[in-house]
Amino acid sequence: MGCSIITFPSFSHLFISTLLLLTTLYITPQISAVRYPIDVWPKPTTFHWPQPQAITLSPEFTISAPPHSYLTPAVHRYLRQILTEHHLPLVTPLLNLTGGPPLTTLTIIISDAAAPLTHGVDESYSLTVPSTGASAVLNAETPWGAMRGLETFSQLVYAKPARVACGLYISDGPLFPHRGIMLDTARNYYGVEDLLRLIRTISMNKLNVFHWHITDSHSFPLVVPSEPEMAAKGAYGEDMKYTAADVKRVVEYGMEHGVRVVPEIDMPDAEWTDRLAAEPGTGQLNPLNPKTYEVVKNVVRDAVSMFPDQFYHAGADEITPNCWKIDPSIQTFLSNNGTLSQILEMFINSTLPYIISLNRTVIYWEDVLLNADVNVPSSLLPRENVILQSWNNGPNNTKRIVDSGYRAIVSSSDFYYLDCGHGDFTGNNSLYNMPPGSDQGNGGSWCGPFKTWQTIYNYDITYGLTEAEAKLVIGGEVALWSEQADSTVMDSRIWPRASAMAEALWSGNRDETGKKRFAEATDRLNEWRYRMVTRGIGAEPIQPLWCIKNPGMCNTVHLA
Amino acid sequence: MGCSIITFPSFSHLFISTLLLLTTLYITPQISAVRYPIDVWPKPTTFHWPQPQAITLSPEFTISAPPHSYLTPAVHRYLRQILTEHHLPLVTPLLNLTGGPPLTTLTIIISDAAAPLTHGVDESYSLTVPSTGASAVLNAETPWGAMRGLETFSQLVYAKPARVACGLYISDGPLFPHRGIMLDTARNYYGVEDLLRLIRTISMNKLNVFHWHITDSHSFPLVVPSEPEMAAKGAYGEDMKYTAADVKRVVEYGMEHGVRVVPEIDMPDAEWTDRLAAEPGTGQLNPLNPKTYEVVKNVVRDAVSMFPDQFYHAGADEITPNCWKIDPSIQTFLSNNGTLSQILEMFINSTLPYIISLNRTVIYWEDVLLNADVNVPSSLLPRENVILQSWNNGPNNTKRIVDSGYRAIVSSSDFYYLDCGHGDFTGNNSLYNMPPGSDQGNGGSWCGPFKTWQTIYNYDITYGLTEAEAKLVIGGEVALWSEQADSTVMDSRIWPRASAMAEALWSGNRDETGKKRFAEATDRLNEWRYRMVTRGIGAEPIQPLWCIKNPGMCNTVHLA
């Protein structure tokens, strides 16, 4: 009853109630998408289920698939989950059982079993689950598409004894090839188990990239075999490092989940190469010091061998002129009419060709090209080898990137930065000591306010671009910067908000009429959040349980 | 080195760097409080430690205390923790060991062992830890003060083998008698184990009240023996109830931790008393229906027997006129020149005296007196029996409460509501479907932005009051409304932000010169957050680990 809406919010005080009651009671929500008894997140591109039914899953249910070093463990993993999960959605699916023989097999057919897990690999699949008890069939171009299909199938299984939605046909595939999560493990450390759990959840959400922002000036936890001093001096502690064995484990686990691991190793500290000052702490490499490049090359070479992915993120949001300016040799250079951009050019010129020579595509943050004060000409950044990741100025900078002819990964901070608006890490900040009644700011951090899942869901990463321009947008990443995040909040800070981007980049954020479908997505995301929780992921809730058990009843008056 | 500051923030882009570098490098932070090698949270009122040293803790260390039904289990608990915790602060305390005999005993002396755990009970204590190996002595007026002192002692123990700070004298006690956390378990459910962990953490922080907002119109999980239909129909599920045994466990656990459990049972739903409509869902009691009062009295009587605390919270933020107006009998009443306020008066008149007759002090939300449209005259709310809890308009409403002669519990939403600015639970809200570049609002929820720990720490709950007015402010509560919170985020959503209020209400937020001490508090809160984590509480981080290992180095230019 409408009244419940009124009394729900903690702000259930008069000034809100009138608003909600009158409209919620009497307006039919303008939700055009069909709500299925059980659904998949992200919502598949095409999901035909004309007569929703369910079929019992045989206790001897098996999955047959061609052998493949990474698909095979995935198949085992999914089979175990399918046979044991017994998930009960919060809203019980009202589905009749076929009454016929149970489903005994899922057959996986792959066209190109040799396709490697690279950027742009075909991840499409089709899934048929008949009502008759004949084998369910999962067709995929590649083993990686098969993994996506397996995830879909697992979400259609529910209850105890297990049953699965049947009489359905799904044809599915992503809108964008690059769909990732960036995690900063330098400002605060995350154990390897956390990273594996993150990869598992990335895969569950049909995301395919773990952008591992592994080092920064705060800490250098990566044990680089040729430069062991880095981690020895730069890690937060002996138990807060990533050894070559740790990295191998993460990379392999990624492969088994169809998730590419892209490292970002912001260039190491000056301390070991330049003895910049007597004070402890970190800083930056001095690009005027030749030893710098020796160290950088060692780090790059080792990193490239530890991380087999084609993409290598070389940072470049760590270019901090004022830090450089402290160095005497740089001061001299600048006083002789040198510019900071020239210094950056030197650095790029001495490092980028080397990385490219190791057969890598290099990602830089947008700053390297777009920063107003310190940047390099595009002639130094070959378009076939360099991709730029946007973070500032929303779609404007995405446009500048693609208009310069570069492929873009979109991480606009206004939408995709997960740390925004949830506290402020700077100490001694009198901004928070204002008299009551003062403007409280935006919840802390430079990029507040907090990005709600709805805000993330509704962001169109090709907003304002022509069709031609949009072709250069290869995808997006949400980013968790860890000034105020570590293991205790990794799951809740990322999920289910990252799931919102996952659907937008997989099958979009609009219904078949072209309208934004976030209203209908709410109920599905509630169920998906709950399923992630029962699967061991500490995703945060987005609504009271009452709203979930009474779908649509916690809507506002606003219509999409 | 200052440079590290520049490169740290995820916003480490040029427009910030200059600001931070120049000042951080060259300005001595204006922090006037002494930083001890190891400290206590909340910071004790008086902490004399002229020559910081540490003494080995004997493996046979014991605590001697007079027997007491609740202090005795507390002593056992603390002894076990003291002997086994072996906490290593992030910044290793640089303390020499005395080199003399180890500390073998803590002797607890209590003046008034019979003092019950009630509002206003004396919680003061003094603690002496000599360097000589003679017994450490904890003096307290009551067993509850002894518990506070035990917590302090436990925080002075560290390392393996265990050692404790010595050569110190602490005299400590709270500024305000009512210091609590409100948790809403109606919008989303929390298991009993979560509530016990919450009470444990409340106690660790020297807070003393768990305000259990146990029911609401969303759900009614409390099994009321005389009205079993409530929970039968109102709980989210069979496994989402609180039985009498559960409540007993929570209350007893509270006693063992010196934490009072104050129930808030918002009046149950109309459905069972009034058959308001054919639709499923909840609503409110109809105050014109006599059966209402029968039900209410049964619920109150049972609740009072389950919750022995003197304070009983009777809600009154659930008065939602538009919901009442749906009811035909109420419509009739109103059309005959009746007012909503009269209806509320009827309700108060029929319920409040009864609760008072059961020897309870009743807390209402401020609305019952202060709401512009629906309120009752103060003649209906005897000042000796009624306390008002503020939530709106910051210090203004606190002032209105005390100027009307009532004691106030401060929960100003601008500062103390923990759910603000972290997402929006309403569905179908086009506020989040605005074009890029639009105002993004305040992070969701009506009370955004997110309240940073610094904002909470700096709030003076008697702001703007005269000394006489301030006498009626008995304390404060942070509140976690659970539209978007449940077990997965309970710890991180509450801690360490509630710790900020805990210190402000225990020993204040100013240093000895009268200046706000949040800068110095940052380093202490970092360590305290970490200790809570190692004690099993998923408190969220407030700074990068680098900042903690380099105290003061992540300060901004702003001076307190």
Side-chain angles (χ1 to χ4, degrees):
Chain A
M1 194 176 67
C3 286
S4 46
I5 306 298
I6 301 169
T7 52
F8 289 159
S10 52
F11 59 101
S12 64
H13 305 281
L14 302 183
F15 64 95
I16 296 290
S17 52
T18 321
L19 197 67
L20 291 177
L21 166 62
L22 295 174
T23 48
T24 320
L25 269 190
Y26 300 115
I27 291 183
T28 311
Q30 301 281 326
I31 297 169
S32 54
V34 174
R35 180 78 208 280
Y36 282 149
I38 190 166
D39 224 318
V40 180
W41 189 285
K43 197 173 180 72
T45 313
T46 312
F47 189 166
H48 287 308
W49 199 10
Q51 286 170 316
Q53 262 192 309
I55 186 169
T56 317
L57 204 72
S58 163
E60 276 83 48
F61 175 78
T62 58
I63 301 175
S64 93
H68 181 274
S69 40
Y70 295 114
L71 180 60
T72 299
V75 165
H76 288 155
R77 195 173 69 238
Y78 275 107
L79 182 60
R80 189 169 54 245
Q81 178 172 58
I82 284 160
L83 288 175
T84 61
E85 191 183 14
H86 298 303
H87 181 71
L88 260 184
L90 291 163
V91 176
T92 306
L94 297 174
L95 288 168
N96 291 322
L97 284 173
T98 60
L103 185 70
T104 54
T105 326
L106 170 66
T107 304
I108 301 180
I109 300 167
I110 297 178
S111 310
D112 182 8
L117 179 59
T118 58
H119 169 69
V121 70
D122 191 313
E123 295 172 84
S124 66
Y125 69 92
S126 69
L127 174 69
T128 309
V129 185
S131 312
T132 57
S135 175
V137 178
L138 169 56
N139 257 298
E141 181 69 21
T142 70
W144 321 105
M147 288 185 189
R148 307 298 172 233
L150 277 165
E151 176 58 40
T152 292
F153 184 85
S154 80
Q155 292 185 31
L156 295 170
V157 179
Y158 66 104
K160 184 169 191 152
R163 61 193 65 177
V164 62
C166 70
L168 60 89
Y169 169 75
I170 287 174
S171 168
D172 203 10
L175 289 173
F176 294 95
H178 187 105
R179 311 176 306 281
I181 310 255
M182 188 215 84
L183 179 67
D184 159 22
T185 66
R187 287 168 179 83
N188 273 308
Y189 181 80
Y190 295 75
V192 172
E193 296 302 320
D194 293 317
L195 302 184
L196 301 185
R197 188 172 71 257
L198 176 61
I199 286 172
R200 184 159 73 87
T201 323
I202 284 174
S203 178
M204 266 191 237
N205 282 268
K206 294 195 177 71
L207 294 164
N208 63 2
V209 172
F210 168 35
H211 168 183
W212 189 356
H213 187 102
I214 190 170
T215 69
D216 212 306
S217 52
H218 284 74
S219 78
F220 199 100
L222 181 66
V223 179
V224 176
S226 62
E227 297 282 349
E229 287 273 282
M230 296 289 175
K233 292 191 176 172
Y236 280 134
E238 201 44 51
D239 55 347
M240 287 189 271
K241 293 179 178 174
Y242 303 111
T243 64
D246 291 332
V247 173
K248 188 168 159 64
R249 199 165 157 226
V250 170
V251 169
E252 282 295 286
Y253 198 79
M255 297 294 286
E256 291 174 3
H257 287 75
V259 176
R260 299 162 42 217
V261 182
V262 175
E264 176 182 352
I265 294 167
D266 280 356
M267 288 309 168
D269 300 324
E271 192 175 70
W272 305 289
T273 63
D274 209 61
R275 305 279 181 251
L276 218 65
E279 297 180 59
T282 62
Q284 293 183 124
L285 289 177
N286 178 352
L288 294 182
N289 184 335
K291 177 129 174 65
T292 289
Y293 300 106
E294 206 180 295
V295 172
V296 169
K297 285 190 166 153
N298 285 336
V299 172
V300 168
R301 193 180 51 248
D302 283 356
V304 160
S305 80
M306 284 194 275
F307 293 93
D309 196 75
Q310 173 74 25
F311 284 14
Y312 180 97
H313 202 303
D317 73 327
E318 84 280 6
I319 310 302
T320 324
N322 290 306
C323 204
W324 279 346
K325 282 186 192 158
I326 288 175
D327 180 82
S329 61
I330 293 183
Q331 282 169 2
T332 306
F333 179 84
L334 294 174
S335 60
N336 288 336
N337 294 324
T339 67
L340 292 168
S341 287
Q342 285 173 340
I343 294 178
L344 181 57
E345 281 189 39
M346 261 183 260
F347 188 78
I348 298 287
N349 260 336
S350 311
T351 54
L352 179 58
Y354 179 64
I355 308 175
I356 293 173
S357 78
L358 297 175
N359 190 26
R360 289 289 181 270
T361 299
V362 179
I363 307 171
Y364 285 115
W365 289 101
E366 60 172 56
D367 311 56
V368 73
L369 183 76
L370 301 187
N371 186 279
D373 302 310
V374 186
N375 58 69
V376 305
S378 50
S379 51
L380 260 56
L381 309 168
R383 289 166 181 77
E384 60 273 22
N385 304 112
V386 171
I387 293 172
L388 298 178
Q389 184 160 9
S390 74
W391 64 268
N392 200 11
N393 274 328
N396 299 324
N397 281 15
T398 308
K399 184 170 164 65
R400 290 174 65 192
I401 290 171
V402 300
D403 282 354
S404 304
Y406 293 91
R407 287 162 289 176
I409 295 170
V410 176
S411 292
S412 308
S413 52
D414 289 339
F415 295 89
Y416 280 179
Y417 272 23
L418 300 177
D419 53 304
C420 302
H422 185 95
D424 198 316
F425 87 93
T426 55
N428 202 13
N429 191 338
S430 62
L431 175 65
Y432 303 105
N433 188 25
M434 308 300 287
S438 309
D439 182 349
Q440 289 193 329
N442 57 15
S445 88
W446 65 281
C447 57
F450 182 81
K451 311 309 171 195
T452 64
W453 79 262
Q454 302 93 321
T455 293
I456 294 173
Y457 188 85
N458 287 320
Y459 186 44
D460 293 322
I461 64 173
T462 59
Y463 182 87
L465 302 182
T466 66
E467 219 177 296
E469 289 168 331
K471 279 186 165 51
L472 284 174
V473 175
I474 64 174
E477 290 181 4
V478 284
L480 178 56
W481 298 97
S482 302
E483 280 88 351
Q484 299 197 62
D486 65 16
S487 304
T488 55
V489 298
M490 185 185 80
D491 286 2
S492 60
R493 204 55 53 82
I494 295 177
W495 312 100
R497 290 189 294 154
S499 304
M501 183 198 73
E503 177 159 300
L505 300 193
W506 178 269
S507 56
N509 54 17
R510 286 171 167 71
D511 62 28
E512 57 279 3
T513 74
K515 269 200 0 221
K516 289 273 180 71
R517 62 181 180 186
F518 58 92
E520 172 264 318
T522 305
D523 297 326
R524 290 188 292 108
L525 187 56
N526 273 319
E527 288 285 0
W528 178 232
R529 177 263 169 175
Y530 175 61
R531 196 158 194 162
M532 284 195 284
V533 170
T534 59
R535 287 180 173 185
I537 311 304
E540 59 183 0
I542 61 170
Q543 286 195 316
L545 188 46
W546 191 93
C547 303
I548 304 174
K549 289 182 172 289
N550 296 275
M553 287 300 290
C554 295
N555 289 341
T556 66
V557 311
H558 299 100
L559 302 174
Chain B
M1 192 176 66
C3 283
S4 46
I5 306 298
I6 300 166
T7 52
F8 288 162
S10 53
F11 59 99
S12 62
H13 306 281
L14 303 183
F15 64 96
I16 297 286
S17 52
T18 321
L19 197 68
L20 290 178
L21 167 63
L22 294 173
T23 48
T24 319
L25 268 188
Y26 300 114
I27 290 183
T28 311
Q30 300 282 329
I31 298 170
S32 53
V34 173
R35 180 79 208 279
Y36 282 149
I38 190 165
D39 223 318
V40 180
W41 190 285
K43 196 172 182 68
T45 313
T46 312
F47 188 167
H48 286 307
W49 199 12
Q51 286 169 314
Q53 262 191 309
I55 184 169
T56 317
L57 204 72
S58 163
E60 278 82 50
F61 176 79
T62 58
I63 302 176
S64 93
H68 181 275
S69 40
Y70 294 114
L71 181 60
T72 299
V75 165
H76 289 156
R77 196 173 68 237
Y78 274 108
L79 182 61
R80 189 169 52 246
Q81 178 171 61
I82 285 160
L83 288 174
T84 62
E85 191 184 11
H86 299 302
H87 182 72
L88 260 184
L90 291 163
V91 176
T92 306
L94 297 173
L95 289 169
N96 292 322
L97 285 173
T98 59
L103 185 69
T104 54
T105 326
L106 170 67
T107 304
I108 302 180
I109 302 167
I110 297 180
S111 311
D112 181 7
L117 179 60
T118 58
H119 170 68
V121 70
D122 191 314
E123 295 173 84
S124 66
Y125 69 92
S126 68
L127 175 69
T128 309
V129 185
S131 313
T132 57
S135 174
V137 179
L138 169 56
N139 257 298
E141 182 69 21
T142 70
W144 321 105
M147 290 185 189
R148 307 298 171 234
L150 277 165
E151 176 59 38
T152 291
F153 185 84
S154 81
Q155 292 185 31
L156 295 169
V157 179
Y158 67 104
K160 185 167 189 155
R163 62 193 65 177
V164 61
C166 69
L168 60 88
Y169 169 76
I170 286 174
S171 167
D172 203 10
L175 289 173
F176 294 94
H178 187 104
R179 311 176 305 282
I181 310 257
M182 188 216 83
L183 179 67
D184 160 20
T185 65
R187 287 170 179 84
N188 273 309
Y189 180 80
Y190 296 74
V192 172
E193 296 303 319
D194 293 317
L195 303 184
L196 301 185
R197 189 172 71 257
L198 176 61
I199 286 172
R200 185 159 72 88
T201 324
I202 284 174
S203 178
M204 265 190 238
N205 282 267
K206 293 193 179 72
L207 294 164
N208 62 2
V209 170
F210 168 34
H211 168 181
W212 188 355
H213 188 103
I214 189 170
T215 70
D216 212 306
S217 53
H218 284 75
S219 78
F220 199 101
L222 181 66
V223 179
V224 176
S226 61
E227 298 282 348
E229 287 273 284
M230 296 289 176
K233 292 192 173 171
Y236 280 133
E238 201 45 48
D239 55 345
M240 288 189 272
K241 293 179 177 173
Y242 303 112
T243 63
D246 291 333
V247 172
K248 189 169 157 67
R249 199 164 159 226
V250 169
V251 168
E252 283 295 287
Y253 197 80
M255 297 294 288
E256 291 173 4
H257 287 74
V259 176
R260 299 162 41 218
V261 181
V262 175
E264 176 182 354
I265 295 167
D266 280 359
M267 288 310 167
D269 300 324
E271 193 176 72
W272 306 291
T273 63
D274 209 63
R275 307 280 181 248
L276 218 64
E279 297 181 61
T282 61
Q284 292 183 123
L285 288 178
N286 178 351
L288 293 181
N289 185 336
K291 176 126 174 67
T292 289
Y293 299 106
E294 207 180 294
V295 172
V296 170
K297 284 189 168 153
N298 284 337
V299 172
V300 167
R301 194 181 49 249
D302 284 355
V304 160
S305 79
M306 285 194 275
F307 293 93
D309 195 77
Q310 172 74 26
F311 284 14
Y312 181 97
H313 203 304
D317 74 328
E318 84 280 7
I319 310 302
T320 324
N322 290 305
C323 203
W324 279 346
K325 283 185 192 160
I326 289 175
D327 181 83
S329 60
I330 293 182
Q331 281 169 2
T332 305
F333 178 84
L334 294 174
S335 60
N336 288 334
N337 293 323
T339 66
L340 291 168
S341 287
Q342 285 172 340
I343 295 178
L344 180 57
E345 280 187 42
M346 261 183 259
F347 188 79
I348 299 286
N349 260 335
S350 312
T351 54
L352 179 58
Y354 179 64
I355 308 175
I356 293 172
S357 78
L358 297 175
N359 190 27
R360 288 290 181 271
T361 299
V362 179
I363 307 171
Y364 285 115
W365 290 100
E366 60 173 55
D367 311 57
V368 73
L369 183 76
L370 301 187
N371 186 278
D373 302 310
V374 186
N375 58 67
V376 304
S378 49
S379 52
L380 261 57
L381 309 168
R383 288 165 181 77
E384 60 272 22
N385 303 112
V386 171
I387 292 172
L388 298 178
Q389 183 160 10
S390 73
W391 65 268
N392 199 12
N393 274 327
N396 299 324
N397 281 15
T398 308
K399 183 170 165 65
R400 290 174 65 193
I401 290 171
V402 300
D403 282 354
S404 304
Y406 294 92
R407 287 161 289 176
I409 295 170
V410 176
S411 293
S412 308
S413 52
D414 290 338
F415 295 89
Y416 281 179
Y417 272 23
L418 300 177
D419 53 303
C420 303
H422 184 95
D424 199 316
F425 86 93
T426 55
N428 201 14
N429 191 339
S430 61
L431 176 65
Y432 303 105
N433 188 25
M434 307 301 286
S438 309
D439 181 349
Q440 288 193 331
N442 56 16
S445 88
W446 65 281
C447 56
F450 182 81
K451 312 309 172 194
T452 65
W453 78 262
Q454 302 94 321
T455 295
I456 293 172
Y457 188 85
N458 287 320
Y459 186 43
D460 293 321
I461 63 173
T462 59
Y463 180 88
L465 301 182
T466 66
E467 219 178 295
E469 288 168 331
K471 279 185 164 51
L472 283 175
V473 175
I474 64 174
E477 291 180 4
V478 285
L480 178 56
W481 298 97
S482 302
E483 281 89 351
Q484 300 200 59
D486 65 16
S487 304
T488 55
V489 298
M490 186 184 80
D491 286 1
S492 60
R493 204 55 52 81
I494 295 178
W495 313 100
R497 290 189 294 153
S499 304
M501 183 197 74
E503 177 160 301
L505 299 194
W506 178 269
S507 57
N509 54 18
R510 286 170 167 71
D511 62 29
E512 58 278 4
T513 74
K515 271 203 352 223
K516 288 273 180 71
R517 62 181 180 186
F518 58 94
E520 169 265 324
T522 305
D523 297 325
R524 289 187 294 108
L525 187 56
N526 274 319
E527 288 285 2
W528 178 233
R529 177 263 169 177
Y530 175 60
R531 196 158 194 162
M532 282 195 286
V533 170
T534 59
R535 287 180 172 184
I537 311 304
E540 59 184 1
I542 62 170
Q543 286 195 314
L545 188 46
W546 191 93
C547 303
I548 304 174
K549 289 182 172 289
N550 296 276
M553 287 299 291
C554 295
N555 288 342
T556 67
V557 311
H558 300 100
L559 300 173

